[in-house]
Amino acid sequence: MAAKGDDRREKGHAGKGVRGGAAAIMEDPRFVAFVDHFNGDRDYFECHEVMEELWLDNGRDPVLQGLLQAAVGLYHWRNDNRAGAVKLFAGSLRKLAGAPAVLHGLDLALLRECVRSSLLALCPKLAEQPEMLAALEGRTAPPPGGPAPASASEIPALPEIAPAPFQPFALRVVDAALEAAAADRARKREAGGHRGGGRKHPH
C-alpha cells in the first residue's frame, strides 16, 4: 500500500465519518491541498489521492466526487488516455449537475463549463447530439434507450473520440480564506514542505 502524504496524515482518523458542512470542507487540509495541486503544480494524481479520502470521509458527497472526476479526467487526458478522460468528464458533469453555482469556495458554474468544453473538445460530435449532452449535464431526461446513468461507469457510449491536444483548466477560487490557504500551501510545497505519497494509478 502506498504511503500517505502530509495532508492525509495531518487529518488522521479524527475526521472519519464527520460531515461538518461547506465551511469545514474548505478548511480541511486535504481540500486545500486539492486546490493547490489542481491550480498550482497541476499534479492531478495528488488531487486524486487527497480528494478520494475526503470524499469517502464525507459520505461520498457527489460534488466532491465531481471535483475528483474532473481532476482524474485531466490526468488521463494529459497521459493520452482520451477514452478514460471522456468517461471521467462525463461522470463529473453528472455529479456536478444541480450543484449551486458557488460551493466550497469554488465557482462550480465555471467548472461545469470547463468540463463541458473539455468533453466537447474530445467528443466534438457530441455537439450534434444535444439530447445526450443535456442528459449528461442533468438538464433533461436521457434520450430513449434507458434510464439516466447513476455513475461514470454507467455513462452510455459517446461519439467518436478526437485526438484533441491536452487543454488544462483551473478552479476559480472565490473564497478569500481558501485562496490564502492554498497560496500558503503552495509556498510550502515549493519550499519542500509538502510531499505526496507513493504513486498509484488513479481510477
Side-chain angles (χ1 to χ4, degrees), residues 65-120:
Q65 187 176 11
L67 291 168
L68 172 63
Q69 289 174 325
V72 179
L74 287 169
Y75 174 90
H76 285 311
W77 193 1
R78 185 167 60 190
N79 287 280
D80 293 325
N81 178 7
R82 296 184 181 90
V86 165
K87 176 180 175 181
L88 270 297
F89 287 146
S92 179
L93 273 184
R94 288 204 59 80
K95 293 299 179 182
L96 295 174
V102 173
L103 185 66
H104 304 320
L106 302 177
D107 185 338
L108 295 186
L110 178 60
L111 176 60
R112 284 193 292 263
E113 284 300 312
C114 291
V115 173
R116 182 180 189 272
S117 295
S118 297
L119 186 58
L120 287 172

Side-chain angles (χ1 to χ4, degrees), residues 31-42:
F31 191 78
V32 174
F34 176 83
V35 173
D36 171 31
H37 286 305
F38 201 112
N39 287 354
D41 57 1
R42 294 178 180 170

Side-chain angles (χ1 to χ4, degrees), residues 16 27 45 59 77 82 118 141 143 148 167 170 181-182:
K16 296 292 184 183
E27 294 169 0
F45 177 88
W77 193 1
R82 296 184 181 90
S118 297
Q167 301 171 29

Side-chain angles (χ1 to χ4, degrees), residues 9 16 41 44-46 48 82 87 131 168 172 186:
R9 285 198 302 269
K16 296 292 184 183
D41 57 1
Y44 304 119
F45 177 88
E46 280 301 317
H48 166 269
R82 296 184 181 90
K87 176 180 175 181
E131 288 185 350
R172 181 169 180 260

Side-chain angles (χ1 to χ4, degrees), residues 5-199:
D6 294 340
D7 299 290
R8 281 154 273 155
R9 285 198 302 269
E10 185 175 343
K11 191 66 180 177
H13 293 284
K16 296 292 184 183
V18 175
R19 302 185 65 179
I25 286 176
M26 281 193 296
E27 294 169 0
D28 192 297
R30 295 168 295 184
F31 191 78
V32 174
F34 176 83
V35 173
D36 171 31
H37 286 305
F38 201 112
N39 287 354
D41 57 1
R42 294 178 180 170
D43 189 337
Y44 304 119
F45 177 88
E46 280 301 317
C47 285
H48 166 269
E49 292 290 272
V50 295
M51 181 57 82
E52 183 173 53
E53 186 175 287
L54 183 61
W55 168 61
L56 292 172
D57 282 358
N58 283 272
R60 298 175 182 264
D61 179 81
V63 171
L64 296 182
Q65 187 176 11
L67 291 168
L68 172 63
Q69 289 174 325
V72 179
L74 287 169
Y75 174 90
H76 285 311
W77 193 1
R78 185 167 60 190
N79 287 280
D80 293 325
N81 178 7
R82 296 184 181 90
V86 165
K87 176 180 175 181
L88 270 297
F89 287 146
S92 179
L93 273 184
R94 288 204 59 80
K95 293 299 179 182
L96 295 174
V102 173
L103 185 66
H104 304 320
L106 302 177
D107 185 338
L108 295 186
L110 178 60
L111 176 60
R112 284 193 292 263
E113 284 300 312
C114 291
V115 173
R116 182 180 189 272
S117 295
S118 297
L119 186 58
L120 287 172
L122 289 162
C123 288
K125 291 185 178 179
L126 189 58
E128 302 170 9
Q129 301 183 35
E131 288 185 350
M132 180 179 287
L133 183 58
L136 287 172
E137 295 178 316
R139 292 187 283 114
T140 67
S151 68
S153 63
E154 298 172 20
I155 295 294
L158 294 171
E160 179 182 353
I161 298 173
F166 176 60
Q167 301 171 29
F169 53 83
L171 300 168
R172 181 169 180 260
V173 181
V174 296
D175 180 85
L178 175 59
E179 185 175 30
D184 181 63
R185 189 190 185 282
R187 286 190 292 270
K188 292 177 180 177
R189 170 176 51 76
E190 291 166 1
H194 281 276
R195 292 183 176 85
R199 291 305 210 194

